[in-house]
C-alpha cells in the first residue's frame, strides 16, 4: 500500500478490496476501498468504485453507513452523475438510495403532488439543468426567472434538503450568457432560504478541464462533462456536509517537504526551499498562503511533525514565510507516533478526530494515520508540491455555507484559551480561576441578525448538544414564529477576549402550561465556565414569565454528546419517560420547584451575577 502511492494508489486499493471480497472479508473490502478514495478522484476511478460498491452491496450494504434517500432530477441525462455520487457519498460515510426521475420530467415531478418523486419522500433532492434547457433563441429574463422561482418555491415543500442550481453559461453565445447571468442574480436574491444555492457558473469557471462536452451531449444527452460531474458532486457533498454539521474544522500539517521544501535537520534553515527562487519553493509558499486563507475563514491550523522542535522553531524565526508559529492553534513537534500526536491535538483543541484533515508527504505516515484513526481525513497528496493546493481545494473539506464573526475569530479565541489555561494553572482553586476570568455574559432573543449564527451553532455543535437536532435557517424561522416559542442566544467574554455567540436554546409550547426544550447547544470552547448555569437560569426566568408550569426536556444520544447525558438531572429534572428505542431519555421539571444555579458570570449592564 505504501509503495503504491501517487497515481497508482486507488488502483492498488481497489485490488486489495477485491481480494478481501473474494476471501469473504467484506469489512476489509469496504475499508480498503474507502482508503483508496482518499486519492484524487477522476471519473474512471469513481465509476469503478461505484461498480465495486454495487456488486459488493448485493451481499449486504456497509453496516456502519446510514442510508439517505437521494432524488436526482433534471433536464438532461444524469447517467454519469449517479456512480460518481455513489462512490463519493460512500467515502463521506453514508449510503445513497437513489430515485432517478425519467428524462425530461423534472418540472412535473416537482409540481405534481402525487408524483413518484414525492412518493419517494427524499432526504435530499439534487436538481441539475444546464444553459441548454433555457431554450433556443431569445431568453425572456423575467419569464424564465419567474418560472424557475416558482419551481424552487414548490420544491421547498416536502423534498428534503434541496440543492437548487444556478445556470451555467454557454461557451460562446454572449447574449444568452448575459440573460442567464441576470436570471441567476434574480434567483439567488429571491430563493427560498431553506434551499441551498449551487453556483454552477463558479464551478464551470474554476474547472481546469472543459465543463462542456459536446460529443457526450450529442451521444447521450449528458451534461456536464465527466470532469464536471466529479466537480459538481464534490460541491453537492460539501454543501450537504455543511448542512449536516460535518464540515472539517482543523487542518493539521507536516513541516518538512510540506510547509517548506527540504528537511531542516539535513538541509539547514538556509537550505530550505520556500518562496521565490525555485518552482518548488513557490509551490510551498502557495500552500502556506492557502493555509492562511483557511485560517481567515475560521479553520484552525495545527502542526504535527517528526522533527527536533528547536530546529522547527528556528525556521519560523529566521525565514520570511506567509505563516508564523502564532498562526497555529496546535503544535506538536517531536519524534512520537503521529497518530498519538493527533489524538493529543484533538484533546487539546477539545474537538473530535473527525474534525481533522491531516496533510503529510510521507506515504507511510498517511497509511499509519488511516489505519489508526479512520475518523481523520487523510488526503492522498500528489508527488509534487505544485498540486497540493489544487488537491485540497477539490476535496472542499472546509466549505461552509455561512461564515460568521465567530468563524473569523476562531484562531484568536483558541489563542485566548491558551492564556486562560495558563491562568488556571496559577489559580489556587477552580472558583478562584473562574472569578479571575472576570466573565461577562449577554443574551437575547434570536432575531434576523443572529439567524446565520443560530443555524451554524445547531449544525456544527456536537458535544454539548442535548438533542442533536440540526434545524436549517428556514426551519428556525418557522419554529420561532410560532406563538410562545422562544430562542435565545448567549455570548461570553472575559479579560482574555470575546468568545462571541457560543450558546443557544430553543423552547416551544406543547400541552397547556408545558414547554419543551427543542434544542440546547453550547460551544465546546466554553464548557465548564458556568455558561450552562447562566443559560439554565435565564431559561427558568423566561419560562416563568411565559406562564409555564412545567418544562420537558429530552436527551437524545448521538455519537458525540455523551458529555451532556446528565445535564437535565443535574438541573433538577425528574425522569418522565424513556428510554426510547434510540436510548433517548425524557425528563420533566416542575418550574415551581426549580432552583437557580450559582455561577461567576456577570450579566452585561448589571452589577452582579444572573438570576
Amino acid at each position: 500500500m505504501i509503495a503504491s502511492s501517487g497515481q497508482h494508489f486507488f488502483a492498488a486499493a481497489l485490488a486489495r478490496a477485491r481480494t478481501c471480497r473474494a476471501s469473504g472479508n467484506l469489512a476489509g473490502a469496504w475499508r480498503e476501498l474507502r482508503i483508496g478514495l482518499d486519492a484524487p478522484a477522476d471519473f474512471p476511478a469513481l465509476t469503478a468504485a461505484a461498480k465495486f460498491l454495487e456488486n459488493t452491496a448485493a451481499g449486504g450494504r456497509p453496516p456502519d453507513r446510514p442510508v439517505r434517500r437521494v432524488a436526482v432530477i433534471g433536464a438532461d441525462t444524469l447517467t454519469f452523475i449517479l456512480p460518481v455520487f455513489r462512490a463519493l457519498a460512500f467515502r463521506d460515510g453514508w449510503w445513497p438510495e437513489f430515485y432517478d426521475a425519467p428524462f425530461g420530467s423534472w418540472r412535473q415531478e416537482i409540481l405534481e403532488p402525487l408524483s413518484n418523486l414525492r412518493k419517494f419522500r427524499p432526504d435530499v433532492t439534487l436538481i441539475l439543468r444546464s444553459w441548454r434547457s433555457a431554450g433556443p433563441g431569445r431568453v425572456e429574463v423575467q419569464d424564465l426567472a419567474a418560472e424557475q422561482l416558482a419551481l424552487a418555491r414548490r420544491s421547498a415543500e416536502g423534498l428534503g434538503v434541496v440543492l437548487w442550481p444556478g445556470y451555467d453559461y454557454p461557451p460562446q453565445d454572449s447574449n444568452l450568457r448575459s440573460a442567464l447571468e441576470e436570471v441567476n442574480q434574480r434567483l439567488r436574491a429571491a430563493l427560498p432560504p431553506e434551499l441551498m444555492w449551487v453556483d454552477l457558473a463558479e464551478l464551470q469557471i474554476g474547472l481546469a478541464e472543459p465543463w462542456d462536452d459536446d460529443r457526450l451531449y450529442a451521444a447521450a444527452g449528458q451534461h456536464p462533462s465527466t470532469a464536471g460531474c466529479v466537480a459538481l458532486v464534490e460541491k453537492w457533498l460539501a454543501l450537504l456536509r455543511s448542512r449536516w454539521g460535518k464540515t472539517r474544522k482543523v487542518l493539521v500539517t507536516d513541516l518538512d517537504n510540506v510547509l517548506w521544501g527540504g528537511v531542516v535537520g539535513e538541509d539547514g534553515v538556509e537550505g530550505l526551499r520556500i518562496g521565490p527562487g525555485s518552482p518548488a519553493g513557490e509551490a510551498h509558499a502557495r500552500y502556506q498562503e492557502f493555509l492562511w486563507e483557511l485560517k481567515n475563514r475560521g479553520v484552525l491550523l495545527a502542526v504535527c511533525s517528526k522533527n527536533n522542535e528547536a530546529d522547527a522553531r528556528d525556521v519560523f524565526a529566521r525565514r520570511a514565510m506567509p505563516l508564523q508559529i502564532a498562526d497555529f492553534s496546535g503544535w506538536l513537534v517531536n519524534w512520537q507516533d503521529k497518530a498519538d500526536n493527533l489524538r493529543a491535538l484533538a484533546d487539546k483543541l477539545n474537538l473530535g478526530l473527525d474534525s481533522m484533515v491531516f496533510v503529510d508527504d510521507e506515504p507511510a505516515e498517511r497509511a499509519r494515520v488511516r489505519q489508526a484513526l479512520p475518523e481523520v481525513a487523510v488526503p492522498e497528496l500528489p508527488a509534487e508540491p505544485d498540486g497540493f493546493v489544487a488537491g485540497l481545494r477539490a476535496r472542499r473539506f472546509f466549505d461552509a455555507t455561512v461564515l460568521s464573526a465567530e468563524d473569523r475569530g476562531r484562531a484568536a479565541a483558541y489563542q485566548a484559551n491558551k492564556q486562560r489555561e495558563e491562568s488556571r494553572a496559577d489559580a489556587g482553586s477552580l472558583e478562584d480561576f473562574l472569578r479571575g476570568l472576570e466573565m461577562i455574559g449577554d443574551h437575547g432573543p434570536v432575531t434576523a441578525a443572529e439567524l446565520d449564527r443560530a443555524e451554524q451553532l445547531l449544525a456544527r455543535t456536537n458535544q454539548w448538544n442535548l438533542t442533536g437536532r440540526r434545524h436549517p435557517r428556514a426551519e428556525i424561522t418557522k419554529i420561532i414564529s410560532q406563538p410562545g416559542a422562544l430562542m435565545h442566544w448567549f455570548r461570553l467574554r472575559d479579560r482574555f477576549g470575546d468568545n462571541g455567540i457560543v450558546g443557544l436554546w430553543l423552547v416551544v409550547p406543547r400541552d397547556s402550561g408545558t414547554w419543551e426544550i427543542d434544542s440546547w447547544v453550547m460551544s465546546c470552547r466554553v464548557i465548564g465556565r458556568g455558561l450552562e448555569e447562566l443559560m439554565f437560569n435565564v431559561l427558568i426566568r423566561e419560562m416563568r414569565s411565559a406562564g409555564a408550569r412545567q418544562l420537558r426536556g429530552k436527551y437524545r444520544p448521538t455519537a458525540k454528546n455523551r458529555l451532556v447525558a446528565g445535564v437535565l438531572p443535574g438541573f433538577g429534572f425528574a425522569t418522565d419517560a424513556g428510554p426510547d428505542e434510540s436510548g433517548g431519555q425524557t425528563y420533566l421539571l416542575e418550574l415551581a420547584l426549580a432552583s437557580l444555579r450559582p455561577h461567576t458570570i456577570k450579566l452585561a449592564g448589571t452589577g452582579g451575577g444572573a438570576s
Side-chain angles (χ1 to χ4, degrees):
M1 179 172 65
I2 295 169
S4 65
S5 62
Q7 62 179 334
H8 304 298
F9 183 84
F10 173 79
L14 181 58
R16 293 193 305 274
R18 286 170 173 157
T19 300
C20 289
R21 184 177 65 186
S23 66
N25 180 10
L26 289 186
W30 301 125
R31 182 183 65 250
E32 295 298 339
L33 185 68
R34 167 62 189 84
I35 289 173
L37 290 168
D38 279 327
D42 60 12
F43 182 80
L46 293 173
T47 302
K51 184 176 180 180
F52 177 87
L53 286 167
E54 289 161 0
N55 291 339
T56 309
R61 286 193 297 264
D64 58 342
R65 279 166 169 74
V67 176
R68 291 189 171 101
R69 297 185 301 278
V70 178
V72 187
I73 63 176
D76 301 315
T77 302
L78 301 169
T79 306
F80 291 171
I81 289 279
L82 300 184
V84 174
F85 198 97
R86 165 83 66 204
L88 294 181
F90 170 81
R91 180 202 66 192
D92 276 8
W94 57 282
W95 187 267
E97 179 182 310
F98 288 120
Y99 173 74
D100 182 9
F103 179 80
S105 66
W106 69 289
R107 288 178 173 85
Q108 301 94 298
E109 292 274 13
I110 290 174
L111 295 173
E112 292 178 7
L114 297 179
S115 67
N116 288 329
L117 168 65
R118 294 193 175 276
K119 291 176 182 176
F120 180 65
R121 298 174 60 86
D123 299 306
V124 175
T125 299
L126 308 170
I127 300 170
L128 181 63
R129 46 102 180 93
S130 72
W131 57 269
R132 293 181 176 90
S133 67
R138 179 180 175 84
V139 170
E140 294 295 337
V141 169
Q142 185 171 344
D143 292 346
L144 181 58
E147 182 226 22
Q148 291 293 304
L149 188 57
L151 287 168
R153 287 170 175 159
R154 182 71 179 101
S155 73
E157 302 169 4
L159 296 183
V161 180
V162 178
L163 276 60
W164 189 269
Y167 278 100
D168 53 359
Y169 301 138
Q172 295 176 333
D173 189 335
S174 59
N175 290 330
L176 179 57
R177 179 188 177 110
S178 296
L180 294 180
E181 286 176 344
E182 186 173 346
V183 171
N184 280 345
Q185 291 174 0
R186 294 189 182 202
L187 281 176
R188 191 163 193 173
L191 198 72
E194 56 265 48
L195 270 59
M196 305 190 79
W197 175 258
V198 184
D199 194 336
L200 292 187
E202 178 189 48
L203 282 175
Q204 179 183 22
I205 293 168
L207 191 65
E209 300 177 60
W211 174 260
D212 283 272
D213 188 328
D214 290 336
R215 290 192 301 173
L216 186 61
Y217 188 80
Q222 172 66 46
H223 179 84
S225 65
T226 54
C229 286
V230 176
L232 175 60
V233 172
E234 287 285 17
K235 177 64 175 178
W236 277 342
L237 289 170
L239 288 169
L240 292 174
R241 290 195 298 269
S242 178
R243 172 59 61 88
W244 295 332
K246 301 294 185 181
T247 302
R248 302 277 172 166
K249 300 176 182 177
V250 189
L251 187 143
V252 185
T253 184
D254 188 22
L255 295 176
D256 291 333
N257 288 316
V258 179
L259 213 62
W260 51 68
V263 178
V264 64
E266 298 174 3
D267 301 312
V269 174
E270 299 303 327
L272 300 177
R273 298 179 297 281
I274 179 69
S278 72
E282 292 175 357
H284 289 289
R286 285 194 297 273
Y287 172 72
Q288 288 201 26
E289 290 163 358
F290 172 64
L291 265 58
W292 172 257
E293 173 191 325
L294 291 179
K295 175 177 175 284
N296 287 339
R297 284 165 39 197
V299 176
L300 298 178
L301 304 181
V303 167
C304 179
S305 174
K306 287 184 177 178
N307 228 316
N308 291 321
E309 183 173 10
D311 291 345
R313 290 184 176 275
D314 202 25
V315 179
F316 286 94
R318 294 170 54 189
R319 294 294 298 267
M321 299 187 296
L323 293 174
Q324 297 299 317
I325 288 180
D327 294 316
F328 295 96
S329 299
W331 173 277
L332 278 179
V333 179
N334 52 44
W335 296 100
Q336 297 176 21
D337 176 63
K338 289 192 176 182
D340 290 341
N341 276 342
L342 287 171
R343 291 189 188 96
L345 280 171
D347 288 343
K348 178 181 179 182
L349 297 173
N350 202 15
L351 292 170
L353 288 165
D354 62 353
S355 69
M356 290 182 162
V357 176
F358 176 58
V359 179
D360 197 296
D361 67 306
E362 284 291 334
E365 297 291 358
R366 296 196 296 266
R368 163 60 183 154
V369 172
R370 289 187 185 112
Q371 178 270 330
L373 305 174
E375 310 98 312
V376 176
V378 187
E380 188 65 11
L381 293 182
E384 299 300 325
D386 58 3
F388 288 3
V389 173
L392 288 168
R393 284 193 191 278
R395 287 294 298 271
R396 298 182 175 273
F397 288 114
F398 306 104
D399 281 16
T401 54
V402 175
L403 186 63
S404 66
E406 285 77 10
D407 286 327
R408 296 185 180 93
R410 183 171 289 114
Y414 273 84
Q415 291 292 345
N417 260 352
K418 182 178 179 181
Q419 294 176 293
R420 292 183 186 98
E421 290 304 313
E422 293 170 352
S423 172
R424 182 169 187 166
D426 296 334
S429 67
L430 176 59
E431 186 175 354
D432 290 340
F433 163 68
L434 293 175
R435 291 191 182 281
L437 289 178
E438 301 172 7
M439 293 181 287
I440 298 177
D442 200 2
H443 71 92
V446 170
T447 66
E450 294 87 27
L451 275 175
D452 281 348
R453 179 57 176 163
E455 178 186 27
Q456 191 179 63
L457 272 172
L458 289 173
R460 293 187 183 181
T461 307
N462 296 308
Q463 296 181 65
W464 217 106
N465 189 329
L466 203 62
T467 64
R469 293 191 175 103
R470 314 284 187 186
H471 295 310
R473 179 189 175 108
E475 195 171 328
I476 294 171
T477 302
K478 183 178 179 180
I479 293 173
I480 62 178
S481 66
Q482 298 174 10
L486 293 172
M487 190 177 203
H488 271 236
W489 54 265
F490 290 81
R491 188 182 196 100
L492 186 65
R493 67 181 188 270
D494 59 30
R495 65 188 178 93
F496 293 108
D498 189 344
N499 290 283
I501 295 176
V502 287
L504 192 79
W505 50 242
L506 169 61
V507 291
V508 292
R510 293 303 186 202
D511 307 323
S512 177
T514 300
W515 265 250
E516 179 181 323
I517 301 173
D518 175 279
S519 302
W520 189 352
V521 298
M522 189 176 71
S523 171
C524 60
R525 299 202 307 268
V526 296
I527 290 174
R529 296 191 209 161
L531 184 63
E532 52 265 61
E533 284 79 12
L534 169 61
M535 294 177 74
F536 173 76
N537 290 355
V538 173
L539 175 60
I540 297 306
R541 186 186 66 204
E542 293 293 332
M543 288 292 89
R544 287 171 173 167
S545 297
R549 293 183 295 102
Q550 295 176 320
L551 181 61
R552 180 175 290 114
K554 186 170 185 177
Y555 165 67
R556 299 173 65 208
T558 68
K560 297 184 178 181
N561 73 346
R562 189 175 301 174
L563 172 72
V564 296
V567 164
L568 294 178
F571 283 139
F573 285 73
T575 301
D576 185 47
D580 59 22
E581 64 280 358
S582 67
Q585 182 76 52
T586 302
Y587 300 93
L588 191 68
L589 178 66
E590 297 289 342
L591 288 168
L593 303 177
S595 57
L596 301 182
R597 303 290 157 153
H599 56 78
T600 59
I601 302 171
K602 294 181 179 179
L603 270 179
T606 71
S611 60

